[in-house]
């Protein structure tokens, strides 16, 4: 029963991969951390917001993702779009801006999770 709760990729994980994966994780973390601070500022949020958001997103992808080649993280484009989307709604209120940014991020996560549950990635992938 407990094995069913594990992500499918974890059931086939081999112990010799652990050292390489840990090193890769530390390297990616060292790149993503300063980026997260910068992208939070681009989005109009305090730098701490990037530090709080990035680890959760990276951990979620590490547990649910299946690509050994894909690096997942925020980009300047998503930061700018987020700022543009909530900026006019916040009406200059920093607390409202932060709350709306968090709501946008959470709703985006819900949409992506639903897309994964319903296997909507097949729409963009060619049939095999």
């Amino acid at each position: 029963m407990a094995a069913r709760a594990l992500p499918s990729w974890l059931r086939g994980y081999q112990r010799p991969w652990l050292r390489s994966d840990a090193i890769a994780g530390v390297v990616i973390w060292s790149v993503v951390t300063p980026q997260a601070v910068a992208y939070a500022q681009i989005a109009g949020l305090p730098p701490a917001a990037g530090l709080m958001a990035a680890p959760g997103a990276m951990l979620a992808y590490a547990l649910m993702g299946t690509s050994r080649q894909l690096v997942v993280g925020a980009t300047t484009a998503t930061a700018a779009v987020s700022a543009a989307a909530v900026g006019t709604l916040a009406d200059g209120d920093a607390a409202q801006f932060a709350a709306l940014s968090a709501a946008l991020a959470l709703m985006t996560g819900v949409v992506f999770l639903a897309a994964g549950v319903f296997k909507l990635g097949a729409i963009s992938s060619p049939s095999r």
Side-chain angles (χ1 to χ4, degrees), residues 3-15 17-18 21 58-68:
R4 285 189 197 167
L6 296 174
S8 61
W9 65 265
L10 191 55
R11 289 188 287 263
Y13 194 82
Q14 297 177 18
R15 187 172 174 86
W17 298 343
L18 186 58
D21 285 349
M58 290 177 63
L59 184 60
Y61 186 79
L63 293 174
M64 292 186 276
T66 57
S67 176
R68 294 182 54 82

Side-chain angles (χ1 to χ4, degrees), residues 17-125:
W17 298 343
L18 186 58
R19 184 172 189 271
S20 296
D21 285 349
I23 292 169
V26 169
V27 169
I28 295 301
W29 190 275
S30 70
V31 171
V32 169
T33 300
Q35 283 180 341
V37 170
Y39 295 159
Q41 291 177 308
I42 289 170
L45 297 166
L51 290 175
M52 290 184 284
M58 290 177 63
L59 184 60
Y61 186 79
L63 293 174
M64 292 186 276
T66 57
S67 176
R68 294 182 54 82
Q69 294 81 26
L70 181 64
V71 176
V72 176
T75 65
T76 53
T78 57
V81 169
S82 174
V86 301
T88 56
L89 299 173
D91 202 29
D93 181 359
Q96 182 74 359
F97 188 90
L100 289 169
S101 295
L104 176 62
L106 290 172
M107 289 307 299
T108 301
V110 167
V111 169
F112 283 158
L113 185 61
V117 167
F118 293 111
K119 309 271 189 232
L120 296 181
I123 293 172
S124 64
S125 300

